[in-house]
Structure formats: structure tokens, C-alpha cells
Amino acid sequence: MKIGILGTGEIGTTLARTFGARGHDVDVANSRGPETIGSAVREFGARAVTAEEAVQGKDVVILSVPFARVPDVAGLFAFVPEETVVIDTSNYFPQLGGPVDAVEQGQVESLWVAEQLGRPVVKAWNAALAGTLRTKGVPAGTPDRIALPVAADSGEARRVGMRLVDESGFDPYDAGVLADSWRQQPMTPAYCTELGLGELGPALAAADRTEAPRRRDRQMARLAALTFTPTLDQTVELNRSLHR
């Protein structure tokens, strides 16, 4: 596939390396220009390009920018063909990017993203920590493989997203339409808890739409109060502890 990635944070970088190593044709861009993209991002063949080049002529564009920055890149999608699959990896944390009124009033995060871009999106890779994506992907069929939810209104776009999640080392789970993707937002039971395929469905079903934002805010305060930096496994355990 021809894949464009907008964003060179931890998730964008990991996906650029992963799909480059898998043999996909990968272009990656950030807001500062291709000359600022380091060799680690390009190690497995991904090319550093401008943001405009990253979204043109692609089968898939992965949007991996901070949630609050989505409106800043929306103009790039004005001439992206309808058949291009756009995948949103972002999550809404008002403590980090400031409040978004529509989301505060209950709009589903990725529906807000789709509204900003003026086109449908697929929700994927948002329910895993960057460290999980970087270190815990394993081949299909490996026992205890971590599963990740994928939501989209288009069945074909969802299948593309699921294929790429599988290639990134995780079992894809069909999480239905975008309006239900709140079930994989922070801090629902499916969010960054490293569940297997058999556990993920019940976790999505157990999500509480009213309680999730409250848990998110409590968890952010809890993490901010720690006097040490938790490891990946400690962070996963903290997330799991919210739902016991």
C-alpha cells in the first residue's frame, strides 16, 4: 500500500517504522518540515516529505497528530480522493490540548475529527499506549496476542484498518461504526489495558459513556501526582485498576 503518515510523535514514528519494514510505500511528515525528521523514523524505508506530499496519491493516510491540532491539518484533505482511507489515532485529553466544546458536550471524538476533516475516518491504534505499539506487536497466531479495536462507518475502510492493525502486530477487533467508537476512548475498559481478542468485546460492551470522562480526569490527576515515572506495565495496571 501507499501510506502517508502525518505526525512523528511516538505512535506516528512506530507506525512509519513498522509499515516500512513490512514493505509498504511510506511517506511521513510533520509540521516542521522533512528536514527535521530523524533517521530513526526513516530506518526501514519511510521517506520524509512535506505534509502536502504525505496525503497525495495514497491508499491510506494515518493521522497521528494531537487531537487539538486536527483543525490545523484539515485543509490538507480538501483534495484527497474519497477512496483514500483516513485513519485517526488521536485521543482527547483536555488537560493537554485544552477543552473542545463539542466533545465536552458529548460528541464522539472521531466524529468530531471527521467533521473537522470533512470526510469519514477510521478509528484505530488509539487504544494502545505508544510503548505497547512499539514493543508488544507479535505475529498473527501468537498466544496471548493483544487485540485492538477498529471502528468505521464504511465496512471496506474498517477492513483496511483491521488489516493494517494485524500487520502492526495486534489482533484487530471489529468495533462497529464510528458513533460507537466512544467505547474505545479514554478511560474505558478497552483503553490501553492490553486485552486479548476474547476479552476485548466484553470490555467494549462494558463501557460507560458518562463515567469514562470522569475516569479520564481522575486518572490524569492520579498520574500527575506520582513521584516516579511508571513503566509501561505499571501504566497498563493503573488503567486496569479503574475497572475493578
Side-chain angles (χ1 to χ4, degrees):
M1 287 185 181
K2 293 181 178 180
I3 299 174
I5 300 176
L6 287 176
T8 54
E10 290 188 80
I11 291 177
T13 293
T14 296
L15 295 178
R17 290 168 57 86
T18 297
F19 293 130
R22 296 282 300 187
H24 292 287
D25 189 331
V26 180
D27 285 344
V28 61
N30 62 21
S31 61
R32 301 180 301 279
E35 68 280 0
T36 68
I37 297 175
S39 59
V41 183
R42 299 179 279 107
E43 182 178 2
F44 297 106
R47 293 180 298 272
V49 301
T50 66
E52 290 78 10
E53 291 170 326
V55 302
Q56 292 299 320
K58 301 301 187 290
D59 300 305
V60 174
V61 174
I62 298 171
L63 183 59
S64 191
V65 301
F67 187 83
R69 297 291 305 279
V70 169
D72 297 342
V73 301
L76 295 171
F77 292 86
F79 302 103
V80 174
E82 290 183 7
E83 59 268 24
T84 299
V85 175
V86 179
I87 303 179
D88 167 36
T89 75
S90 68
N91 287 301
Y92 174 58
F93 287 95
Q95 299 88 346
L96 302 179
V100 173
D101 289 344
V103 180
E104 290 292 320
Q105 293 166 14
Q107 185 173 21
V108 175
E109 291 175 9
S110 277
L111 288 177
W112 181 85
V113 171
E115 187 177 277
Q116 305 312 301
L117 301 185
R119 60 179 301 128
V121 299
V122 178
K123 187 75 165 182
W125 292 299
N126 76 297
L129 294 163
T132 300
L133 294 180
R134 188 176 63 253
T135 65
K136 295 192 177 183
V138 294
T142 302
D144 301 320
R145 196 186 197 207
I146 296 167
L148 299 178
V150 181
D153 292 340
S154 161
E156 178 56 32
R158 195 184 311 128
R159 283 188 287 273
V160 170
M162 292 177 69
R163 170 187 163 183
L164 290 175
V165 165
D166 187 29
E167 288 192 25
S168 70
F170 302 88
D171 279 335
Y173 183 91
D174 187 335
V177 297
L178 211 59
D180 288 334
S181 64
W182 63 268
R183 296 182 179 276
Q184 63 197 73
Q185 292 176 186
M187 291 283 176
T188 58
Y191 178 79
C192 298
T193 48
E194 295 188 354
L195 303 178
L197 200 57
E199 303 168 294
L200 188 55
L204 289 165
D208 184 323
R209 192 167 184 176
T210 301
E211 185 60 25
R214 298 172 185 165
R215 285 176 174 160
R216 176 200 66 207
D217 294 346
R218 287 199 301 270
Q219 190 73 330
M220 290 294 285
R222 183 182 183 188
L223 291 171
L226 292 177
T227 57
F228 63 95
T229 301
T231 65
L232 172 60
D233 289 342
Q234 286 172 331
T235 303
V236 171
E237 179 56 31
L238 285 169
N239 290 341
R240 289 178 175 178
S241 71
L242 294 173
H243 311 292
R244 294 189 181 125

